[in-house]
Amino acid sequence: LYHTDQFEEGSNQFRYDVKVNPLDVEEIVWDIACQLRLKEQNPNFEVRKMALPQGKTDRRRIMGTVYSLFRGDGATEQDLATVGHAGSVSDEFYSLFYLGLYSESIGDNSKAANYMRAAANSEYAKGRGAADYMTSCAKVHCKLRHW
């Protein structure tokens, strides 16, 4: 739904998914991205960022940094880039992918296009991660946005 610019429906879907699995960082992040896009369309829209249950974190360093960036809890774009480049090829892919999503959700489409293209063309996306659903999301994202 996000990729077809159905941000309200997307947010509702991600919020429902988090009710089923409250520890799913990706669903929380996608909901925030949808809400930020809704805010871009309507400046009066109130963004309501979901959070992990108190005391819970994502065990994956890359996703903890993604979560913190999208929630505005202290991580910066540079932090996410650093964690991605210091980790595995999959960490690099995920950092590029989520930097692209974040950039798009805050209205920086030029930066978003660069990050998302880099994710879609990364070693992980073209190699052992080619069957990973998220690498397909990066490729579809680029295709739909004509990037």
Side-chain angles (χ1 to χ4, degrees):
L1 294 170
Y2 179 92
H3 289 107
T4 57
D5 298 336
Q6 297 178 62
F7 305 118
E8 186 172 353
E9 294 85 351
S11 177
N12 291 337
Q13 173 194 331
F14 296 125
R15 286 178 172 270
Y16 174 79
D17 292 347
V18 170
K19 285 181 185 175
V20 174
N21 181 6
L23 300 177
D24 193 328
V25 166
E26 278 109 341
E27 301 288 343
I28 293 170
V29 164
W30 280 94
D31 174 58
I32 293 169
C34 285
Q35 290 198 42
L36 291 172
R37 295 296 302 272
L38 287 167
K39 177 85 173 169
E40 181 181 12
Q41 293 173 348
N42 174 4
N44 294 322
F45 179 81
E46 181 184 343
V47 175
R48 300 175 324 271
K49 296 179 181 178
M50 291 188 294
L52 289 168
Q54 180 117 16
K56 300 292 183 181
T57 59
D58 195 296
R59 61 178 171 71
R60 302 165 293 173
R61 183 171 180 218
I62 192 77
M63 290 313 299
T65 308
V66 168
Y67 174 80
S68 179
L69 175 65
F70 275 80
R71 290 250 327 131
D73 291 343
T76 65
E77 291 177 56
Q78 184 58 52
D79 293 333
L80 182 52
T82 299
V83 171
H85 293 300
S88 65
V89 293
S90 66
D91 286 346
E92 181 180 35
F93 164 79
Y94 279 96
S95 87
L96 292 165
F97 179 84
Y98 281 110
L99 283 166
L101 184 65
Y102 178 77
S103 295
E104 183 179 58
S105 71
I106 62 169
D108 192 339
N109 290 327
S110 176
K111 205 188 285 188
N114 289 333
Y115 282 131
M116 199 60 74
R117 280 193 305 262
N121 291 304
S122 68
E123 179 182 344
Y124 180 73
K126 292 184 172 233
R128 69 179 175 92
D132 181 333
Y133 172 78
M134 294 307 289
T135 62
S136 295
C137 285
K139 293 169 188 170
V140 167
H141 199 111
C142 289
K143 184 174 181 151
L144 290 173
R145 301 291 192 259
H146 304 287
W147 293 341

